[in-house]
Amino acid sequence: VTPLKALMKDQVSQLERKQGITCATCLHSDITFEEREERIRQIHQGEKSIVYLSPELLISADLSAFIGNRPLGLFVVDEAHTVTSWGKDFRADYWYLGEYLQRLRRAGRKFPVLCLTATAVYGGEEDVVNETIESLQVEHPILYLGRVRRDNITFDIRALETPSTGIDKFKIQTAAEQTREFVSRGEKT
């Protein structure tokens, strides 16, 4: 389960191009009815085994509609911080994901759950990790916590004197100047 169509497409593409893995597919609202039916056929026939779905698809249909009688080997929640942070305010279907997993288990399906995120807060007042575990009703979780360092992200923080009026115009002008400077240096984003 992943929150964004672009993320699904990108991950399937990355698996194919960089890893040579051709058994991945995704189901989302940008594909035609015919594409959807063909992808579901491929899943049922065992041609596709890694399936990216939005939480809305799971809530609106039984999993067997997508995977048929195939066993569920692993249920992955990508960007797992969205289960609680988005589930409350933005994507309500995430809020019901734990209940959905319990229904699958009550129906006799046995599978591990893997939750992945690089941005969830662990511990304290803003604890997203334990809130996600509780929301998904994960029993006996094993946590792998680490420090995430992204070498492709840098910050350049500068103190600027702002005018007393026209702050929005100032922000736009400053952003435009910094963008021109960045582009003129020839750096890649």
Side-chain angles (χ1 to χ4, degrees):
V1 177
T2 190
L4 304 169
K5 292 180 278 189
L7 188 58
M8 291 182 205
K9 293 177 201 177
D10 183 57
Q11 289 182 351
V12 169
S13 175
Q14 294 287 333
L15 285 171
E16 290 175 355
R17 269 191 333 223
K18 293 188 177 182
Q19 304 297 325
I21 296 171
T22 60
C23 65
T25 192
C26 55
L27 299 172
H28 51 74
S29 60
D30 282 353
I31 62 175
T32 66
F33 176 79
E34 291 79 15
E35 288 173 314
R36 178 183 163 124
E37 291 302 305
E38 174 59 17
R39 291 177 187 189
I40 290 173
R41 184 201 63 75
Q42 291 173 328
I43 296 165
H44 285 201
Q45 297 296 316
E47 297 169 33
K48 302 292 183 183
S49 297
I50 300 171
V51 183
Y52 292 87
L53 300 166
S54 70
E56 291 83 2
L57 285 176
L58 289 177
I59 303 305
S60 66
D62 186 78
L63 187 65
S64 60
F66 305 115
I67 69 170
N69 292 324
R70 295 182 69 188
L72 179 59
L74 177 64
F75 190 97
V76 180
V77 181
D78 195 16
E79 304 295 338
H81 61 277
T82 59
V83 169
T84 57
S85 60
W86 285 16
K88 293 176 187 172
D89 303 319
F90 178 60
R91 300 269 295 269
D93 295 299
Y94 271 108
W95 198 247
Y96 299 106
L97 208 46
E99 187 178 307
Y100 182 82
L101 293 173
Q102 288 305 315
R103 278 199 317 265
L104 288 175
R105 288 190 174 106
R106 284 192 300 270
R109 290 194 183 261
K110 296 185 184 304
F111 53 91
V113 176
L114 174 64
C115 298
L116 304 168
T117 182
T119 58
V121 174
Y122 178 66
E125 192 174 307
E126 300 290 324
D127 187 345
V128 172
V129 172
N130 285 305
E131 189 177 8
T132 300
I133 290 168
E134 184 179 320
S135 179
L136 292 177
Q137 302 175 43
V138 175
E139 295 178 12
H140 313 295
I142 300 171
L143 300 178
Y144 294 96
L145 304 172
R147 195 174 131 246
V148 176
R149 179 178 169 86
R150 300 282 303 262
D151 293 330
N152 62 336
I153 297 175
T154 59
F155 295 94
D156 182 10
I157 301 170
R158 303 175 191 179
L160 299 174
E161 288 189 31
T162 59
S164 58
T165 60
I167 189 71
D168 288 334
K169 185 176 180 180
F170 171 77
K171 287 179 188 178
I172 292 169
Q173 287 173 338
T174 303
E177 288 170 12
Q178 290 176 354
T179 301
R180 278 192 291 277
E181 179 185 327
F182 178 79
V183 170
S184 70
R185 289 193 311 251
E187 296 179 15
K188 295 181 181 179
T189 57

